């Protein structure tokens, strides 16, 4: 594609609409391919009904291959525009049984609506989408919130209302100009700044929102001042002889900025920081964090290794057969914009979410034999508030006296997370995606699952660790920007179909597969005309996207709404790298060193038993014991891994004159037996831990199996 030269294509007509107008705001960019003597308006090309974007951005015209464009022009030459009565009408109304065809400029003139998203549908004037207002309480005119000119608050083609603010009205033309100037990253409601709901409605009503930087961001050096880092030591006693503004990277006189506000700094040496990686807060931010009544400093522990998510791997080059063209570098700049946010430690983020928890307690009566249903009953109770402190009481339906026993909140949340991982709302072996379960959808269990997961994280429960990368990316970047892989397909027959399509070597083989699977492909909307062997890639991709993403759209939206509880989803989308490590990876294996650091000595204890304890941990790590590190932690706390926010209270050990160890899961306390020999100590520890966990597992097997 050759760029336009001034006046070079001004008099050349678009091969689709036959007009030589050069008006980017109305018809899109006008481009001429000199090699093939072909001129098109971008919107005319994009909205044409019989063409798909099969090439890369730099191929043909915006990824539309020259041969495909010629075929579409030939097809359109046989169709007459129902408005101007001339041939070349390449755009058709998508409404069933409507046979109207028209040129793009003619459609605009006749107030047709073109949707620049999804399948790029177009609607004639009789079938176009409308905004339905239940009641009109507006007696007087209201101003367009963009140009401030007064308009009648009645939704028409030219007048649109904001979906999120009832008294926000716009001219269509004003909205379109604003969308082109702001781009997808900054186009939002002028009243409440909502972008998600607002953009979806505007796209539905035919507003084109280009994927490009806002016009004000394209000004050269517009944000030059933001590149200036704060470099000044603000501690009371600066020890640097060179002064507070001296900054020497990779030395003790390097300036570290406050991790919260970024507007205060210190030399590493002035605050006794050992390295750049160590967190530091200024006095003001520290006061806000540490003076919170709910804040308690958790004991440091090793967290799972963070496998960085390649953000570029999470974004599709194309999210549908046709893509609105992105300006050069726009996607890259958007990723930089996301990456400019603080890289935060996951435990800090979870603790910040925990500040919402109020001291007011809500007791949940939980039956361990049916923990999922009893938990649902508690969470669905109209008096339950997710921001209240959770207290757990275990009850037994077979207990005629109705007695209740104090329970460990972290054990309860851990059991709940185990059920969630094995529940029928997820599918897959290790890395799981959402399944399509009609009964679960009917009972609103996807929403409840998202809500429970959010509550578990904020209230100190364990992390899930079983999400597939695809499911996580859908939550962070949206399903439309996520490309699933074959491993996401749990249905054997569908996986085999995709493999057969991908490995087809001839058009005949590909057509044979399509004919064999005709009914299924037609049912899921993936049936396409095969003209070349390269069509197999788009076909395989369509099947994959349908099965993994589109098929579970309703469960996903419900699950996503539940995950918004206590602001968890917003934090996930703000700090994806931090949450990726706990959503998609199991915690690292515990070691003797980790457990030794995790448990603090509660009281003055028997020195010999403490020595036996350390030797026992080493024996377990070396495989010389009948139990594992995870068994020990479960025995003492009810969790087999360290929660992202740490334990509350901090796990502790004490030594008592008894034969066997005792685990108090409510207080995270492990009582060690005082014995005469290490062999007796190990045998007693192994016997108690192994048999206690076996009995507990047998009690809950009935439930988890369901």
């Amino acid at each position: 594609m050759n760029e336009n030269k001034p006046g070079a294509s001004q008099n050349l007509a678009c091969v689709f609409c036959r007009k030589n107008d050069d008006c980017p705001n109305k018809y899109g960019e006008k481009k001429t391919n000199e090699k093939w003597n072909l001129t098109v308006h971008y919107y005319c090309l994009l909205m044409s009904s019989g063409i798909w974007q099969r090439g890369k951005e730099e191929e043909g015209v915006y990824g539309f291959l020259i041969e495909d464009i010629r075929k579409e022009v030939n097809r359109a030459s046989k169709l007459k525009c129902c408005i101007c009565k001339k041939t070349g009408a390449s755009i058709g109304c998508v409404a069933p049984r409507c046979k109207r065809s028209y040129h793009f400029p003619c459609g605009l003139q006749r107030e047709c609506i073109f949707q620049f998203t999804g399948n790029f549908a177009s609607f004639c004037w009789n079938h176009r989408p409308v905004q339905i207002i239940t009641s009109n309480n507006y007696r007087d005119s209201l101003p367009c919130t963009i140009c401030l000119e007064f308009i009648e608050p009645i939704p028409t083609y030219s007048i649109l209302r904001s979906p999120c603010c009832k008294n926000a009205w716009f001219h269509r033309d004003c909205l379109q100009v604003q969308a082109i100037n702001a781009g997808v990253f900054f186009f939002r409601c002028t009243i409440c700044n909502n972008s998600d709901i607002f953009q979806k409605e505007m796209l539905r009503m035919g507003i084109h929102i280009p994927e490009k930087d806002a016009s004000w961001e394209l000004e050269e050096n517009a944000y030059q001042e933001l590149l200036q880092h704060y470099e000044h030591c603000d501690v009371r006693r600066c020890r640097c002889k060179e002064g507070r503004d001296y900054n020497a990277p990779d030395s003790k006189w390097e300036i570290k900025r406050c991790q919260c506000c970024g507007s205060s700094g210190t030399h590493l040496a002035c605050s006794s920081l050992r390295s750049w990686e160590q967190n530091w807060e200024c006095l003001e931010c520290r006061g806000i964090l540490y003076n919170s009544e709910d804040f308690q400093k958790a004991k440091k522990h090793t967290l799972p290794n963070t496998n960085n998510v390649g953000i570029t791997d999470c974004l599709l080059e194309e999210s549908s057969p046709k893509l609105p063209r992105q300006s050069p570098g726009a996607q890259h700049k958007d990723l930089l914009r996301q990456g400019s946010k603080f890289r935060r430690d996951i435990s800090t983020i979870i603790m910040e979410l925990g500040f919402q928890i109020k001291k007011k307690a809500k007791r949940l009566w939980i039956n361990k034999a049916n923990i999922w249903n009893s938990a649902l009953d508690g969470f669905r109770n109209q008096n339950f508030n997710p921001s209240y402190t959770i207290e757990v009481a275990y009850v037994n339906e077979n207990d005629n006296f109705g007695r209740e026993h104090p329970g460990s909140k972290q054990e309860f949340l851990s059991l709940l997370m185990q059920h969630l991982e094995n529940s029928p709302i997820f599918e897959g072996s290790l890395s799981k995606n959402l399944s399509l379960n009609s009964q679960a959808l009917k009972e609103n269990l996807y929403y409840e699952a998202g809500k429970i997961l959010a509550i578990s994280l904020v209230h100190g429960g364990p992390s899930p660790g079983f999400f597939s990368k695809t499911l996580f990316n859908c939550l962070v970047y949206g399903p439309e920007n996520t490309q699933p892989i074959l491993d996401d397909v749990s249905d054997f027959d569908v996986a085999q179909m995709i493999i057969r399509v991908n490995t087809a070597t001839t058009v005949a083989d590909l057509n044979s597969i399509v004919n064999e699977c005709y009914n299924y492909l037609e049912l899921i909307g993936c049936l396409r005309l095969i003209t070349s062997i390269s069509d197999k890639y788009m076909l395989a991709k369509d099947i994959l996207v349908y099965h993994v993403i589109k098929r579970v759209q309703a469960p996903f939206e419900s699950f996503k709404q539940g995950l918004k509880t206590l602001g968890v989803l917003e934090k996930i989308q703000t700090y994806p790298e931090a949450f990726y490590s706990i959503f998609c990876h199991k915690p690292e294996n515990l070691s003797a060193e980790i457990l030794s650091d995790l448990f603090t000595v509660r009281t003055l204890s028997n020195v010999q038993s403490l020595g036996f304890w350390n030797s026992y941990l080493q024996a377990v790590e070396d495989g010389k014991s009948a139990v594992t590190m995870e068994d020990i932690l479960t025995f003492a706390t009810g969790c087999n891994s360290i929660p992202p926010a740490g334990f509350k209270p901090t796990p502790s050990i004490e030594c008592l004159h008894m034969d066997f160890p005792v685990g108090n899961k409510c207080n995270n306390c492990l009582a060690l037996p005082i014995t005469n020999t290490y062999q007796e100590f190990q045998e007693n520890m192994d016997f108690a831990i192994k048999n206690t966990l076996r009995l507990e597992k047998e009690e809950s097997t009935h439930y988890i199996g369901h």
Side-chain angles (χ1 to χ4, degrees):
M1 168 62 72
N2 299 313
E3 293 294 332
N4 285 345
K5 299 176 183 178
S9 64
Q10 189 172 5
N11 296 320
L12 296 176
C14 170
V15 293
F16 289 106
C17 69
R18 318 282 176 82
K19 291 181 177 291
N20 57 12
D21 303 42
D22 191 2
C23 185
N25 285 350
K26 290 180 66 176
Y27 309 139
E29 292 178 286
K30 183 182 179 184
K31 292 287 185 177
T32 298
N33 187 303
E34 295 180 355
K35 179 179 179 182
W36 300 100
N37 190 26
L38 188 139
T39 300
V40 294
H41 289 125
Y42 179 48
Y43 295 169
C44 293
L45 176 62
L46 194 64
M47 301 307 304
S48 291
S49 303
I51 191 170
W52 288 268
Q53 189 180 29
R54 297 196 301 136
K56 296 180 180 179
E57 179 72 15
E58 65 274 8
E59 291 185 87
V61 183
Y62 304 128
F64 292 88
L65 304 182
I66 298 297
E67 59 188 271
D68 292 344
I69 295 176
R70 286 182 165 178
K71 289 179 182 178
E72 178 63 2
V73 171
N74 182 55
R75 183 189 73 85
S77 66
K78 303 170 186 176
L79 300 173
K80 185 177 291 186
C81 174
C82 63
I83 300 170
C84 71
K85 309 303 180 183
K86 295 180 181 178
T87 58
S90 61
I91 306 171
C93 177
V94 299
R97 299 183 181 178
C98 181
K99 298 181 179 180
R100 290 191 178 97
S101 296
Y102 33 83
H103 303 103
F104 184 83
C106 295
L108 284 183
Q109 181 184 354
R110 195 65 172 80
E111 299 185 347
C112 298
I113 280 185
F114 303 93
Q115 293 180 341
F116 293 86
T117 185
N119 291 323
F120 293 81
S122 63
F123 299 86
C124 71
W125 53 94
N126 278 345
H127 300 113
R128 68 190 182 204
V130 295
Q131 290 187 305
I132 300 176
I133 310 300
T134 53
S135 61
N136 188 355
N137 297 323
Y138 306 101
R139 298 180 180 177
D140 302 321
S141 298
L142 292 176
C144 166
T145 60
I146 298 176
C147 72
L148 302 183
E149 178 184 328
F150 280 88
I151 55 180
E152 291 298 321
I154 300 173
T156 62
Y157 175 81
S158 303
I159 306 297
L160 299 175
R161 193 185 79 162
S162 171
C164 39
C165 296
K166 293 183 179 179
N167 54 348
W169 295 79
F170 314 91
H171 291 110
R172 173 182 289 273
D173 292 341
C174 292
L175 270 176
Q176 186 58 77
V177 171
Q178 186 192 49
I180 290 175
N181 287 331
V184 69
F185 307 122
F186 294 97
F187 183 55
R188 57 196 65 188
C189 177
T190 55
I191 302 297
C192 68
N193 276 337
N194 178 284
S195 60
D196 187 27
I197 298 174
F198 186 75
Q199 286 192 16
K200 284 182 180 178
E201 175 66 4
M202 294 306 113
L203 286 169
R204 185 180 77 90
M205 296 306 297
I207 299 298
H208 178 218
I209 310 172
E211 294 190 30
K212 69 178 187 68
D213 284 315
S215 57
W216 54 84
E217 284 206 333
L218 299 178
E219 297 178 19
E220 190 173 358
N221 298 325
Y223 299 97
Q224 188 66 30
E225 67 277 6
L226 297 182
L227 300 178
Q228 302 298 322
H229 295 301
Y230 187 86
E231 294 183 353
H232 185 78
C233 182
D234 295 295
V235 297
R236 182 175 298 178
R237 293 184 59 187
C238 178
R239 302 175 183 176
C240 182
K241 295 181 181 180
E242 301 294 332
R244 291 182 178 272
D245 294 327
Y246 181 72
N247 182 28
D250 301 322
S251 75
K252 65 181 181 180
W253 303 119
E254 182 172 5
I255 289 181
K256 167 80 175 179
R257 289 178 294 281
C258 171
Q259 67 160 342
C260 296
C261 68
S263 58
S264 295
T266 176
H267 290 114
L268 299 183
C270 296
S271 294
S272 301
L273 299 177
R274 295 181 180 179
S275 69
W276 173 262
E277 286 77 17
Q278 192 171 345
N279 292 334
W280 179 80
E281 304 100 5
C282 64
L283 288 175
E284 290 78 5
C285 295
R286 191 177 304 169
I288 294 172
L289 290 175
Y290 286 46
N291 288 336
S292 169
E293 292 182 359
D294 294 328
F295 182 85
Q296 288 188 7
K297 222 173 182 181
K299 184 176 179 65
K300 292 182 181 179
H301 57 268
T302 306
L303 288 169
N305 292 329
T306 301
N307 295 328
N308 292 334
V309 187
I311 298 182
T312 52
D313 296 336
C314 306
L315 296 175
L316 280 175
E317 288 185 6
E318 47 186 44
S319 58
S320 71
K322 304 173 187 176
L323 273 183
R325 185 169 175 264
Q326 210 170 18
S327 63
Q331 187 183 74
H332 177 66
K333 290 180 182 178
D334 178 43
L335 300 181
L336 291 179
R337 190 178 293 112
Q338 296 177 29
S340 66
K341 297 170 181 172
F342 290 126
R343 293 175 180 271
R344 305 290 298 281
D345 183 84
I346 186 62
S347 60
T348 305
I349 298 171
I350 298 296
M351 278 192 284
E352 287 176 359
L353 285 169
F355 292 161
Q356 305 172 76
I357 307 303
K358 301 177 176 63
K359 286 190 174 181
K360 184 175 181 179
K362 172 63 179 177
R363 174 162 292 191
L364 299 178
W365 284 272
I366 302 299
N367 179 6
K368 267 193 175 182
N370 196 0
I371 197 167
W372 174 254
N373 287 330
S374 55
L376 277 182
D377 290 341
F379 290 145
R380 285 173 169 173
N381 189 296
Q382 61 180 1
N383 295 323
F384 177 78
N385 187 328
S387 63
Y388 288 170
T389 298
I390 293 177
E391 291 182 354
V392 175
Y394 289 132
V395 295
N396 190 335
E397 292 178 351
N398 299 323
D399 189 341
N400 296 326
F401 296 98
R403 288 170 295 193
E404 59 185 56
H405 308 281
S408 163
K409 178 181 69 175
Q410 286 175 314
E411 178 191 33
F412 160 64
L413 294 174
S414 181
L415 292 173
L416 210 50
M417 199 58 62
Q418 290 176 34
H419 170 82
L420 201 59
E421 181 174 0
N422 297 292
S423 69
I425 69 173
F426 290 98
E427 62 183 19
S429 51
L430 298 177
S431 297
K432 296 178 180 289
N433 289 291
L434 290 174
S435 66
L436 181 59
N437 187 303
S438 58
Q439 187 63 28
L441 199 58
K442 182 180 179 181
E443 296 176 7
N444 205 25
L445 293 185
Y446 291 99
Y447 171 83
E448 298 295 344
K451 177 181 174 181
I452 287 172
L453 199 155
I455 290 174
S456 175
L457 283 177
V458 178
H459 284 265
S463 55
F466 58 83
F467 278 37
S468 71
K469 185 177 179 180
T470 297
L471 176 56
F472 182 79
N473 289 344
C474 285
L475 290 171
V476 176
Y477 307 105
E480 68 279 3
N481 292 323
T482 302
Q483 175 60 57
I485 60 176
L486 187 61
D487 289 345
D488 293 319
V489 180
S490 58
D491 188 299
F492 178 79
D493 293 332
V494 175
Q496 288 300 308
M497 183 194 306
I498 295 172
I499 292 173
R500 288 179 62 196
V501 169
N502 272 326
T503 55
T505 55
T506 65
V507 174
D509 289 342
L510 194 55
N511 275 315
S512 174
I513 298 169
V514 170
N515 291 333
E516 185 179 331
C517 308
Y518 185 91
N519 291 336
Y520 175 76
L521 294 176
E522 185 179 37
L523 179 66
I524 66 175
C526 294
L527 196 62
R528 60 169 53 242
L529 181 65
I530 303 300
T531 58
S532 67
I533 192 62
S534 61
D535 289 337
K536 68 178 183 179
Y537 301 112
M538 187 60 72
L539 177 60
K541 179 178 171 182
D542 287 347
I543 300 171
L544 194 58
V545 170
Y546 169 80
H547 188 80
V548 179
I549 294 179
K550 291 183 178 180
R551 182 176 63 98
V552 295
Q553 184 175 355
F556 174 78
E557 290 299 327
S558 183
F559 180 73
K560 185 177 171 183
Q561 289 301 315
L563 206 54
K564 289 182 179 179
T565 304
L566 295 173
V568 171
L569 180 62
E570 182 182 356
K571 286 291 186 183
I572 294 173
Q573 293 172 339
T574 305
Y575 305 107
E577 289 189 2
F579 280 92
Y580 178 78
S581 63
I582 66 170
F583 270 70
C584 300
H585 292 284
K586 293 292 185 182
E588 66 176 3
N589 293 330
L590 298 171
S591 65
E593 182 181 2
I594 291 174
L595 276 194
S596 178
D597 290 341
L598 181 65
F599 285 88
T600 58
V601 180
R602 189 171 184 178
T603 58
L604 291 175
S605 298
N606 184 283
V607 176
Q608 185 180 31
S609 292
L610 291 179
F612 288 167
W613 162 249
N614 290 323
S615 299
Y616 180 66
L617 291 180
Q618 194 58 55
V620 173
E621 184 176 54
D622 294 340
K624 299 176 181 178
S625 169
V627 301
T628 64
M629 293 292 180
E630 288 71 23
D631 291 339
I632 298 173
L633 190 62
T634 303
F635 180 78
T637 67
C639 295
N640 62 7
S641 63
I642 301 173
F647 285 102
K648 190 176 180 180
T650 302
S652 60
I653 54 174
E654 57 183 349
C655 301
L656 299 178
H657 289 280
M658 55 177 60
D659 293 331
F660 296 98
V662 176
N664 186 338
K665 297 175 183 177
C666 293
N667 296 323
N668 297 327
C669 182
L670 175 61
L672 302 176
I674 296 177
T675 60
N676 294 322
T677 65
Y678 171 73
Q679 182 178 356
E680 184 183 359
F681 180 90
Q682 178 172 343
E683 288 175 353
N684 291 355
M685 291 286 289
D686 284 354
F687 178 83
I689 294 174
K690 183 173 65 174
N691 285 284
T692 300
L693 296 183
R694 178 180 59 81
L695 290 173
E696 290 178 351
K697 186 176 181 181
E698 287 176 356
E699 289 178 5
S700 59
T701 297
H702 155 74
Y703 155 69
I704 293 181
H706 292 72

